[in-house]
Amino acid sequence: MCRSVDVKQAVLAKNDDLAATLRGDLARQGVAVVNLLSSPGSGKTELLGRVLARAVERGVPVAALTADLATENDARRLARSGAPVQQVLTDGLCHLEARQVRTRLEGWLPEDTAVLFVENVGNLVCPASYDLGETLRIVLMAVTEGEDKPLKYPTAFGSAHLVLVTKTDLAEAAGFDETAFRTHVRQVNPGVEIVRTCARTGDGVDTVLDRVLTARDGAPQHRPPLTPHPHGHDHAADGEQAHDHHTQPHPATTPAS
């Protein structure tokens, strides 16, 4: 058991170092990174496509990496926006790591990029523990997923700088209790902004892009109470059933990037 914890600490500590270096390198290039986390089927890809298209319309130089275990379907969908897009295949890994992002960016990221969106693997467990060098972490949830999801996945929702509710056009049909959802989000992440979105109608798309650009310009951001562990802490599970690597959240000790 101790040996297992030591290995997890080493893996996450190495990722933290790589993420910090990547964040610094990209910041010097004027690039902000947005890490998008959600369950499968949340509508993350469709919404991201709308945000990318709106950025292109507004003359904002953006790019995107999208991660999946297999297929390049999402990259093809996102490329319709007109923004540069690359697919990352994780070969079965349930999350992205900083080294994968860094490797995929080498020789590809356009020099004038202002914002790089990273669509993480559809999973609210393992991805929550891995810093990708992001400036902003956005967690999405569809109205069809249940109001108590923030309580079931506190690491993900508790580490978000921004929370998006997706597929709001289905809220009435799904019987979505938005008041309960907002209460649950605030239990794990007090003060975080919650934005209602709908990829079908475009609702919330400009708001999301505006929040991202505000973060890119260096404005103070919401400080989530939970972050991936810094070096040397116990990475035992916090009640969520993870795969190989999962960390218990802890109170942030430094301002959110």
Side-chain angles (χ1 to χ4, degrees):
M1 180 62 182
C2 291
R3 180 55 181 164
S4 175
V5 170
D6 289 345
V7 170
K8 291 175 183 178
Q9 287 179 345
V11 169
L12 286 158
K14 182 177 181 180
N15 183 82
D16 287 345
D17 288 340
L18 289 173
T21 299
L22 180 61
R23 181 165 29 247
D25 290 344
L26 290 174
R28 283 187 287 275
Q29 297 173 38
V31 182
V33 179
V34 180
N35 185 5
L36 301 171
L37 280 69
S38 80
S39 300
S42 69
K44 179 166 76 269
T45 303
E46 191 66 24
L47 182 64
L48 175 55
R50 293 296 296 267
V51 172
L52 292 173
R54 189 61 54 86
V56 171
E57 290 173 6
R58 290 170 53 174
V60 179
V62 295
L65 294 179
T66 181
D68 273 308
L69 278 68
T71 83
E72 296 193 1
N73 294 345
D74 285 354
R76 285 192 287 269
R77 290 171 62 190
L78 293 176
R80 297 171 191 158
S81 67
V85 178
Q86 288 282 302
Q87 182 80 48
V88 181
L89 297 179
T90 65
D91 294 323
L93 196 64
C94 63
H95 59 274
L96 273 177
E97 297 181 5
R99 62 177 176 80
Q100 295 168 300
V101 175
R102 182 183 64 179
T103 298
R104 205 68 184 89
L105 293 181
E106 290 175 355
W108 170 73
L109 189 67
E111 291 185 3
D112 66 341
T113 302
V115 180
L116 171 67
F117 290 89
V118 180
E119 183 184 17
N120 219 313
V121 179
N123 183 344
L124 283 176
V125 183
C126 300
S129 298
Y130 283 82
D131 183 359
L132 301 183
E134 66 253 34
T135 308
L136 199 68
R137 177 175 289 198
I138 299 178
V139 176
L140 305 86
M141 194 199 87
V143 299
T144 54
E145 296 182 62
E147 299 84 359
D148 61 345
K149 200 146 199 179
L151 303 181
K152 293 180 177 179
Y153 298 92
T155 307
F157 284 90
S159 63
H161 297 100
L162 181 67
V163 173
L164 306 184
V165 184
T166 64
K167 303 184 181 182
T168 53
D169 55 326
L170 302 177
E172 184 176 354
F176 180 63
D177 185 341
E178 186 169 345
T179 299
F181 170 74
R182 289 176 177 271
T183 297
H184 295 153
V185 170
R186 288 171 181 142
Q187 281 183 245
V188 299
N189 196 341
V192 69
E193 183 179 8
I194 302 169
V195 177
R196 303 177 83 254
T197 69
C198 177
R200 180 178 298 174
T201 64
D203 289 349
V205 169
D206 278 305
T207 300
V208 173
L209 182 56
D210 288 343
R211 298 296 184 272
V212 168
L213 294 178
T214 296
R216 189 261 180 183
D217 292 340
Q221 299 300 308
H222 169 70
R223 183 181 179 184
L226 308 181
T227 63
H229 272 298
H231 307 345
H233 287 264
D234 183 3
H235 296 287
D238 64 352
E240 299 170 14
Q241 296 301 311
H243 292 195
D244 292 335
H245 308 302
H246 177 64
T247 65
Q248 181 175 349
H250 72 101
T253 55
T254 57
S257 298

